[in-house]
Amino acid sequence: ESTVKMMETCRHHLNSDISVLIFPEGTRSESAALRPFKDGAFRLAMDTGRPVVPVALTGTGATLPKRGLIVRDRMDAYVQVLEPVDPLDFDSVESMREAVRAAIGAAIAPTHRPLDKAV
């Protein structure tokens, strides 16, 4: 129920030319491994015709590990804003989702990301 409401709110914002931020994995990972993406952000993009701007983000696990209760005040994070992805270039939510996942995966390849480490 809350997911449906959140998606409606996102759709309203997108149709009002307001950007939204969605983490397509839907949760934080216990490791630095990229998890499967959920369809929501890509369905919104295709429904509204708005591009997706992928952001590769790593290293934040040291600040609040999954199931962690204490927020640490220091981390080394890696953020890279990638080229926008136009939903008109895809024939399905699935193909767009996997293209964006591949782009983010390439940006956070092991040789390009800092190690998550406790501070």
Side-chain angles (χ1 to χ4, degrees), residues 65-81:
K66 187 162 178 98
R67 294 185 208 34
L69 299 175
I70 299 172
V71 176
R72 296 180 181 103
D73 62 356
R74 181 182 156 98
M75 72 174 165
D76 294 319
Y78 171 82
V79 179
Q80 184 179 359
V81 179

Side-chain angles (χ1 to χ4, degrees), residues 1-2 5 24-25 27 35 45-47 50 58 62 65 69 76 80-81 85 97 102-103 106-107 113 115 119:
E1 188 175 301
S2 66
K5 183 172 174 44
E25 291 172 284
T27 187
R35 297 174 48 91
M46 295 194 97
D47 288 351
R50 304 296 175 155
T58 61
L69 299 175
D76 294 319
Q80 184 179 359
V81 179
V85 177
R97 180 192 68 215
R113 73 178 115 160
L115 295 174
V119 176

Side-chain angles (χ1 to χ4, degrees), residues 79-99:
V79 179
Q80 184 179 359
V81 179
L82 306 177
E83 291 296 318
V85 177
D86 189 337
L88 297 177
D89 292 339
F90 298 89
D91 60 0
S92 70
V93 168
E94 294 78 17
S95 62
M96 183 180 188
R97 180 192 68 215
E98 292 310 311

Side-chain angles (χ1 to χ4, degrees), residues 1-118:
E1 188 175 301
S2 66
T3 301
V4 171
K5 183 172 174 44
M6 181 268 306
M7 295 302 275
E8 289 171 1
T9 300
C10 289
R11 184 181 317 279
H12 171 76
H13 288 316
L14 290 170
N15 287 330
S16 299
D17 290 329
I18 299 170
S19 298
V20 297
L21 175 65
I22 297 174
F23 291 88
E25 291 172 284
T27 187
R28 291 177 290 143
S29 177
E30 291 191 30
S31 70
L34 195 58
R35 297 174 48 91
F37 285 5
K38 298 186 181 296
D39 290 344
F42 310 100
R43 186 167 313 285
L44 278 172
M46 295 194 97
D47 288 351
T48 63
R50 304 296 175 155
V52 168
V53 180
V55 177
L57 174 64
T58 61
T60 59
T63 295
L64 182 61
K66 187 162 178 98
R67 294 185 208 34
L69 299 175
I70 299 172
V71 176
R72 296 180 181 103
D73 62 356
R74 181 182 156 98
M75 72 174 165
D76 294 319
Y78 171 82
V79 179
Q80 184 179 359
V81 179
L82 306 177
E83 291 296 318
V85 177
D86 189 337
L88 297 177
D89 292 339
F90 298 89
D91 60 0
S92 70
V93 168
E94 294 78 17
S95 62
M96 183 180 188
R97 180 192 68 215
E98 292 310 311
V100 170
R101 187 175 184 281
I104 292 173
I108 63 171
T111 57
H112 295 111
R113 73 178 115 160
L115 295 174
D116 277 336
K117 57 186 173 197

